[in-house]
Amino acid sequence: MDPHLLRTFITVVHRRSFSAAAEDLGYTQSAVSQQIAVLEADLGLALLHRRPVTLTPAGERLLEHAGPLLLRHRAVRADVLRAAAGPIERLTVAASPLACTPTIARSLTQERLAVTLHTVGRENVAEQVASGTVDLGFVDGIAAPSDPLRLPDVGPLTAIGVAEEELVVVLPSDHPLSRRRGLALTDLADALWLQAPAAVSVERLREVAGTDGFRVGFRYGGEDVHTLLNLAAAGHGLTLLPSSVAVGVPLTAPRIVHRVEVLHGLRTPGPAQAVTGRLR
């Protein structure tokens, strides 16, 4: 049976009107009537009562089969087109929790490319790229503007900076400092901070500020940023996040940014080269 005739039949049944079905399908009413007549002639059975439009017993049975038949027809067509277009290339990517920015996510969109993305700890991204476990890695961290991230020495890797953005201090809305236009990190050394994989670690804060303090108020072992924001809003501790992720008070001193780098090894597959080229 012609799938176009089946589609017309289903539309008439659902709209209960030849004229409404014609409007949906972009045909004239007479064309719809003719298609139903051809389908009935092919089966040698009446499928529809005309006034009002209702199903005959044969029409009810055809309706049961028509949907799956059309679905199968579309699946076969899509499969043939995919085969004709050539094989799908595959790309495996590892990214630290805050490394997959909107721009980077868009760079992974490519026709005929199937991407698998794993979220791993910052310290594990370089290791997985160097070992060949993944084709490409994205790692984030804090650094002075244009300065490279400090990566573990796990072998020959190429690291390219692809994004930098402002950092904000996330604190409860009723916090005394929440209405400031900017905050210096040294002014927050006595505050309690959240310790979490997705956030800047307390140890890194001490290093950047060049001072002690920055006590841990709450330890969160997960990587969900929404949970991290809820913990900060509830007063469990402050956190430092990129401005694209959270609303907070801009960090004005020291001059550091949230930086993302793409990592690849000596042998880079074609899809990884294409993604890196777009990000450059």
Side-chain angles (χ1 to χ4, degrees):
M1 280 177 285
D2 188 332
H4 297 292
L5 300 182
L6 287 177
R7 186 164 68 98
T8 299
F9 170 71
I10 291 175
T11 305
V12 171
V13 172
H14 287 168
R15 293 303 305 269
R16 298 182 181 180
S17 165
F18 281 72
S19 58
E23 184 177 346
D24 286 355
L25 296 170
Y27 298 146
T28 63
Q29 182 175 341
S30 61
V32 170
S33 298
Q34 184 178 3
Q35 289 181 38
I36 296 300
V38 170
L39 185 60
E40 290 178 324
D42 180 42
L43 292 171
L45 294 166
L47 300 173
L48 294 169
H49 300 295
R50 266 49 175 185
R51 297 178 183 276
V53 175
T54 56
L55 288 166
T56 65
E60 290 179 358
R61 183 56 60 88
L62 178 61
L63 186 63
E64 293 175 10
H65 294 286
L69 281 171
L70 286 179
L71 180 60
R72 181 62 178 168
H73 178 266
R74 289 195 297 269
V76 169
R77 177 181 174 83
D79 186 59
V80 171
L81 292 174
R82 281 195 298 267
I88 293 177
E89 295 185 288
R90 302 189 181 278
L91 181 68
T92 305
V93 179
S96 52
L98 295 179
C100 193
T101 65
T103 298
I104 289 171
R106 286 192 294 271
S107 75
L108 299 174
T109 303
Q110 182 180 330
E111 190 176 355
R112 312 299 300 165
L113 178 63
V115 180
T116 300
L117 175 66
H118 302 282
T119 300
V120 300
R122 290 186 178 94
E123 66 282 358
N124 295 327
V125 176
E127 179 183 336
Q128 292 201 11
V129 175
S131 66
T133 305
V134 299
D135 303 310
L136 206 61
F138 293 98
V139 64
D140 76 292
I142 61 171
S146 301
D147 277 2
L149 298 176
R150 292 180 299 178
L151 302 174
D153 185 9
V154 293
L157 290 177
T158 298
I160 304 167
V162 293
E164 287 186 356
E165 64 177 307
E166 180 183 57
L167 288 160
V168 296
V169 181
V170 182
L171 29 68
S173 58
D174 58 353
H175 194 282
L177 302 177
S178 64
R179 298 188 181 277
R180 290 277 193 93
R181 290 194 171 187
L183 288 170
L185 199 55
T186 52
D187 294 337
L188 304 170
D190 293 332
L192 295 177
W193 288 77
L194 292 169
Q195 184 83 313
V200 179
S201 69
V202 166
E203 293 77 18
R204 184 74 171 118
L205 290 173
R206 292 169 184 156
E207 182 182 356
V208 170
T211 184
D212 293 330
F214 302 99
R215 295 170 295 154
V216 176
F218 195 99
R219 296 182 185 275
Y220 169 55
E223 298 171 346
D224 179 62
V225 177
H226 185 68
T227 299
L228 193 62
L229 293 174
N230 285 339
L231 291 171
H236 290 294
L238 310 184
T239 190
L240 200 60
L241 292 172
S243 57
S244 64
V245 171
V247 176
V249 181
L251 183 71
T252 54
R255 184 72 178 94
I256 54 175
V257 294
H258 176 256
R259 179 178 171 89
V260 180
E261 294 180 358
V262 57
L263 310 180
H264 62 80
L266 295 177
R267 293 186 176 182
T268 310
Q273 291 179 2
V275 170
T276 303
R278 284 196 294 275
L279 289 170
R280 281 179 182 273

mmCIF file of all heavy atoms in Angstrom, residues 1 7 13 15 17 34-35 60 71 89 91 95 98 103 105 129 143-144 149 166 182 201 245 264:
data_model
loop_
_atom_site.group_PDB
_atom_site.id
_atom_site.type_symbol
_atom_site.label_atom_id
_atom_site.label_comp_id
_atom_site.label_asym_id
_atom_site.label_seq_id
_atom_site.Cartn_x
_atom_site.Cartn_y
_atom_site.Cartn_z
ATOM 1 N N MET A 1 0.846 -1.203 0.000
ATOM 2 C CA MET A 1 0.000 0.000 0.000
ATOM 3 C C MET A 1 0.879 1.250 0.000
ATOM 4 O O MET A 1 1.906 1.299 0.677
ATOM 5 C CB MET A 1 -0.907 0.004 1.227
ATOM 6 C CG MET A 1 -2.135 -0.889 1.084
ATOM 7 S SD MET A 1 -3.123 -0.916 2.584
ATOM 8 C CE MET A 1 -2.088 -1.976 3.591
ATOM 9 N N ARG A 7 -1.105 7.822 4.946
ATOM 10 C CA ARG A 7 -1.012 9.064 5.711
ATOM 11 C C ARG A 7 -2.284 9.895 5.541
ATOM 12 O O ARG A 7 -2.790 10.487 6.512
ATOM 13 C CB ARG A 7 0.209 9.859 5.232
ATOM 14 C CG ARG A 7 0.486 11.116 6.057
ATOM 15 C CD ARG A 7 1.891 11.629 5.789
ATOM 16 N NE ARG A 7 2.011 12.127 4.426
ATOM 17 C CZ ARG A 7 1.926 13.413 4.078
ATOM 18 N NH1 ARG A 7 1.699 14.330 5.008
ATOM 19 N NH2 ARG A 7 2.055 13.782 2.833
ATOM 20 N N VAL A 13 -9.163 10.311 9.358
ATOM 21 C CA VAL A 13 -9.754 9.692 10.548
ATOM 22 C C VAL A 13 -9.583 10.592 11.759
ATOM 23 O O VAL A 13 -10.514 10.802 12.547
ATOM 24 C CB VAL A 13 -9.114 8.306 10.793
ATOM 25 C CG1 VAL A 13 -9.578 7.741 12.135
ATOM 26 C CG2 VAL A 13 -9.463 7.348 9.654
ATOM 27 N N ARG A 15 -8.994 13.880 11.897
ATOM 28 C CA ARG A 15 -9.694 15.163 11.785
ATOM 29 C C ARG A 15 -11.196 14.984 11.601
ATOM 30 O O ARG A 15 -11.955 15.939 11.731
ATOM 31 C CB ARG A 15 -9.123 15.976 10.624
ATOM 32 C CG ARG A 15 -7.697 16.447 10.811
ATOM 33 C CD ARG A 15 -7.509 17.286 12.092
ATOM 34 N NE ARG A 15 -8.414 18.402 12.146
ATOM 35 C CZ ARG A 15 -8.146 19.609 11.670
ATOM 36 N NH1 ARG A 15 -6.980 19.842 11.092
ATOM 37 N NH2 ARG A 15 -9.009 20.589 11.767
ATOM 38 N N SER A 17 -12.841 14.696 9.021
ATOM 39 C CA SER A 17 -13.324 15.613 7.979
ATOM 40 C C SER A 17 -12.373 15.558 6.794
ATOM 41 O O SER A 17 -11.152 15.641 6.973
ATOM 42 C CB SER A 17 -13.409 17.037 8.518
ATOM 43 O OG SER A 17 -13.531 17.959 7.468
ATOM 44 N N GLN A 34 -10.171 11.494 -3.597
ATOM 45 C CA GLN A 34 -9.667 10.583 -4.620
ATOM 46 C C GLN A 34 -8.661 9.604 -4.021
ATOM 47 O O GLN A 34 -8.675 8.404 -4.364
ATOM 48 C CB GLN A 34 -9.020 11.387 -5.754
ATOM 49 C CG GLN A 34 -8.543 10.516 -6.924
ATOM 50 C CD GLN A 34 -7.944 11.341 -8.043
ATOM 51 O OE1 GLN A 34 -7.822 12.565 -7.933
ATOM 52 N NE2 GLN A 34 -7.567 10.688 -9.122
ATOM 53 N N GLN A 35 -7.786 10.068 -3.112
ATOM 54 C CA GLN A 35 -6.791 9.184 -2.503
ATOM 55 C C GLN A 35 -7.463 8.111 -1.641
ATOM 56 O O GLN A 35 -7.037 6.948 -1.638
ATOM 57 C CB GLN A 35 -5.801 9.997 -1.671
ATOM 58 C CG GLN A 35 -4.858 10.841 -2.513
ATOM 59 C CD GLN A 35 -3.869 11.625 -1.665
ATOM 60 O OE1 GLN A 35 -3.386 11.133 -0.661
ATOM 61 N NE2 GLN A 35 -3.587 12.852 -2.073
ATOM 62 N N GLU A 60 -11.347 0.258 10.724
ATOM 63 C CA GLU A 60 -10.797 0.138 12.078
ATOM 64 C C GLU A 60 -9.572 -0.768 12.097
ATOM 65 O O GLU A 60 -8.568 -0.476 12.754
ATOM 66 C CB GLU A 60 -11.882 -0.398 13.023
ATOM 67 C CG GLU A 60 -13.000 0.582 13.289
ATOM 68 C CD GLU A 60 -14.070 -0.001 14.200
ATOM 69 O OE1 GLU A 60 -13.940 -1.198 14.578
ATOM 70 O OE2 GLU A 60 -15.026 0.724 14.519
ATOM 71 N N LEU A 71 5.546 4.205 10.426
ATOM 72 C CA LEU A 71 6.750 4.326 11.244
ATOM 73 C C LEU A 71 7.879 3.484 10.669
ATOM 74 O O LEU A 71 9.034 3.922 10.569
ATOM 75 C CB LEU A 71 6.450 3.909 12.685
ATOM 76 C CG LEU A 71 7.621 3.979 13.675
ATOM 77 C CD1 LEU A 71 8.145 5.421 13.773
ATOM 78 C CD2 LEU A 71 7.195 3.476 15.039
ATOM 79 N N GLU A 89 31.324 9.146 12.166
ATOM 80 C CA GLU A 89 32.557 9.234 12.936
ATOM 81 C C GLU A 89 32.228 9.391 14.418
ATOM 82 O O GLU A 89 31.206 9.977 14.777
ATOM 83 C CB GLU A 89 33.399 10.413 12.452
ATOM 84 C CG GLU A 89 33.889 10.252 11.020
ATOM 85 C CD GLU A 89 34.816 11.372 10.621
ATOM 86 O OE1 GLU A 89 34.302 12.495 10.433
ATOM 87 O OE2 GLU A 89 36.019 11.128 10.507
ATOM 88 N N LEU A 91 33.551 10.385 18.417
ATOM 89 C CA LEU A 91 34.486 11.192 19.201
ATOM 90 C C LEU A 91 34.169 11.016 20.679
ATOM 91 O O LEU A 91 33.024 11.191 21.099
ATOM 92 C CB LEU A 91 34.361 12.674 18.813
ATOM 93 C CG LEU A 91 35.291 13.655 19.525
ATOM 94 C CD1 LEU A 91 36.733 13.419 19.100
ATOM 95 C CD2 LEU A 91 34.880 15.092 19.215
ATOM 96 N N ALA A 95 35.613 15.923 30.086
ATOM 97 C CA ALA A 95 35.563 17.335 30.483
ATOM 98 C C ALA A 95 35.429 17.436 31.985
ATOM 99 O O ALA A 95 34.691 16.664 32.604
ATOM 100 C CB ALA A 95 34.403 18.048 29.797
ATOM 101 N N LEU A 98 33.096 22.100 35.016
ATOM 102 C CA LEU A 98 32.665 23.402 34.497
ATOM 103 C C LEU A 98 33.311 23.736 33.160
ATOM 104 O O LEU A 98 33.272 24.876 32.720
ATOM 105 C CB LEU A 98 32.989 24.505 35.514
ATOM 106 C CG LEU A 98 32.249 24.427 36.841
ATOM 107 C CD1 LEU A 98 32.686 25.555 37.764
ATOM 108 C CD2 LEU A 98 30.744 24.469 36.644
ATOM 109 N N THR A 103 29.744 27.622 24.328
ATOM 110 C CA THR A 103 30.507 27.670 23.072
ATOM 111 C C THR A 103 31.143 26.318 22.772
ATOM 112 O O THR A 103 31.131 25.842 21.626
ATOM 113 C CB THR A 103 31.600 28.747 23.163
ATOM 114 O OG1 THR A 103 30.977 30.014 23.342
ATOM 115 C CG2 THR A 103 32.444 28.777 21.898
ATOM 116 N N ALA A 105 30.126 23.387 23.894
ATOM 117 C CA ALA A 105 29.052 22.439 23.578
ATOM 118 C C ALA A 105 28.636 22.561 22.114
ATOM 119 O O ALA A 105 28.414 21.555 21.437
ATOM 120 C CB ALA A 105 27.860 22.677 24.504
ATOM 121 N N VAL A 129 43.359 11.814 28.313
ATOM 122 C CA VAL A 129 43.780 12.182 26.957
ATOM 123 C C VAL A 129 45.132 11.544 26.640
ATOM 124 O O VAL A 129 45.334 10.973 25.566
ATOM 125 C CB VAL A 129 43.855 13.714 26.806
ATOM 126 C CG1 VAL A 129 44.423 14.091 25.436
ATOM 127 C CG2 VAL A 129 42.475 14.343 26.971
ATOM 128 N N ALA A 143 43.165 31.090 36.641
ATOM 129 C CA ALA A 143 44.511 31.525 36.271
ATOM 130 C C ALA A 143 44.473 33.018 36.011
ATOM 131 O O ALA A 143 43.412 33.620 35.860
ATOM 132 C CB ALA A 143 44.990 30.773 35.025
ATOM 133 N N ALA A 144 45.653 33.626 35.947
ATOM 134 C CA ALA A 144 45.733 35.012 35.513
ATOM 135 C C ALA A 144 45.352 35.077 34.040
ATOM 136 O O ALA A 144 45.530 34.109 33.304
ATOM 137 C CB ALA A 144 47.144 35.551 35.721
ATOM 138 N N LEU A 149 46.825 26.975 32.219
ATOM 139 C CA LEU A 149 46.534 26.210 33.431
ATOM 140 C C LEU A 149 47.724 25.316 33.764
ATOM 141 O O LEU A 149 48.474 24.901 32.881
ATOM 142 C CB LEU A 149 45.279 25.355 33.239
ATOM 143 C CG LEU A 149 43.963 26.094 32.973
ATOM 144 C CD1 LEU A 149 42.852 25.084 32.701
ATOM 145 C CD2 LEU A 149 43.590 26.989 34.143
ATOM 146 N N GLU A 166 34.889 36.019 33.604
ATOM 147 C CA GLU A 166 34.953 36.595 34.944
ATOM 148 C C GLU A 166 34.494 35.591 36.001
ATOM 149 O O GLU A 166 33.636 34.745 35.751
ATOM 150 C CB GLU A 166 34.048 37.829 34.976
ATOM 151 C CG GLU A 166 33.991 38.568 36.297
ATOM 152 C CD GLU A 166 33.009 39.721 36.246
ATOM 153 O OE1 GLU A 166 31.811 39.470 35.947
ATOM 154 O OE2 GLU A 166 33.425 40.869 36.505
ATOM 155 N N GLY A 182 32.029 44.720 43.998
ATOM 156 C CA GLY A 182 33.162 43.847 43.776
ATOM 157 C C GLY A 182 33.761 43.429 45.098
ATOM 158 O O GLY A 182 33.561 44.088 46.126
ATOM 159 N N SER A 201 39.006 24.919 44.842
ATOM 160 C CA SER A 201 39.310 24.313 46.133
ATOM 161 C C SER A 201 39.811 25.366 47.119
ATOM 162 O O SER A 201 40.366 26.406 46.727
ATOM 163 C CB SER A 201 40.365 23.216 45.983
ATOM 164 O OG SER A 201 41.619 23.775 45.651
ATOM 165 N N VAL A 245 27.769 30.730 34.937
ATOM 166 C CA VAL A 245 27.137 29.645 35.689
ATOM 167 C C VAL A 245 26.298 30.172 36.840
ATOM 168 O O VAL A 245 25.258 29.601 37.176
ATOM 169 C CB VAL A 245 28.218 28.673 36.223
ATOM 170 C CG1 VAL A 245 27.624 27.656 37.182
ATOM 171 C CG2 VAL A 245 28.921 27.978 35.073
ATOM 172 N N HIS A 264 44.730 17.733 23.567
ATOM 173 C CA HIS A 264 44.778 16.581 22.664
ATOM 174 C C HIS A 264 46.199 16.037 22.630
ATOM 175 O O HIS A 264 47.168 16.735 22.977
ATOM 176 C CB HIS A 264 44.280 16.921 21.253
ATOM 177 C CG HIS A 264 45.095 17.960 20.538
ATOM 178 N ND1 HIS A 264 46.288 17.664 19.909
ATOM 179 C CD2 HIS A 264 44.893 19.289 20.331
ATOM 180 C CE1 HIS A 264 46.773 18.753 19.353
ATOM 181 N NE2 HIS A 264 45.949 19.758 19.590
#
